[in-house]
């Protein structure tokens, strides 16, 4: 069973014991056919096959298959790199052109910024810091739900009692209005 899992090549009687690179003239094709028939038999009825006519894969076959796989993987990687380079070429050109076009303006803006008085620079830094702190505080309040909890507490403490009193008052006025509406026609005709 372990030999079936690891894989075997089948020999044709003449080439038993030799590796794939040691086939005589015309033997390699026969060995490939025998190998296919052996593997088909193993796949068809694995429990009834004895492996006496199959030999283990030679090191040269494994080395050859590994080198072919590595070469194909390397070629595939190079092809993907070529494809990505061609796909992103317009994007990189656009970034380079934009950077080249913006560079003089950025240099002029940096020079003008650096030539400002120290008080103005400190004021601008303080403004940027204040904006960053405001953004951080807003995110903190949203994440911890402080505002929502304060709203819920205020609603429970102030809004709901006022709304309940208003609902009771509106209900009382509604009842009196219905009572007066029922009695008024009788009072007019009496």
């Amino acid at each position: 069973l372990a030999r079936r899992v690891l894989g075997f090549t089948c020999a044709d009687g003449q080439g038993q014991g030799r590796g794939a690179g040691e086939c005589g003239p015309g033997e390699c094709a026969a060995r490939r056919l025998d190998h296919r028939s052996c593997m088909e038999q193993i796949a068809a009825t694995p429990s009834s096959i004895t492996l006496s006519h199959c030999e283990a894969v030679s090191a040269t076959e494994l080395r050859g298959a590994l080198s072919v796989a590595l070469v194909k993987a390397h070629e595939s990687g190079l092809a993907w790199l070529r494809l990505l380079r061609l796909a992103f070429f317009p994007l990189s050109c656009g970034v380079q052109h934009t950077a080249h076009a913006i560079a003089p303006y950025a240099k002029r803006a940096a020079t003008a910024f650096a030539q400002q008085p120290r008080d103005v620079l400190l004021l601008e830094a303080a403004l940027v810091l204040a904006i960053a702190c405001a953004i951080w505080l807003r995110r903190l309040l949203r994440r911890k739900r402080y505002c929502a909890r304060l709203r819920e507490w205020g609603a429970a403490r102030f809004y709901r009692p006022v709304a309940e009193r208003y609902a009771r008052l509106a209900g009382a006025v509604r009842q009196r209005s219905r009572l007066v509406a029922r009695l008024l026609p009788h009072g007019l005709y009496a």
Side-chain angles (χ1 to χ4, degrees), residues 163-187:
E164 289 172 0
R165 272 187 259 140
Y166 177 77
R168 280 196 304 268
L169 178 69
V173 169
R174 190 179 310 116
Q175 282 182 338
R176 285 190 196 115
S177 295
R178 286 182 183 165
L179 180 66
V180 169
R182 284 184 192 151
L183 295 178
L184 189 60
H186 296 291

Side-chain angles (χ1 to χ4, degrees), residues 50-63:
T50 60
L51 297 176
S52 60
H53 63 286
C54 291
E55 63 182 23
V57 176
S58 68
T60 56
E61 284 179 308
L62 283 175
R63 243 182 284 137

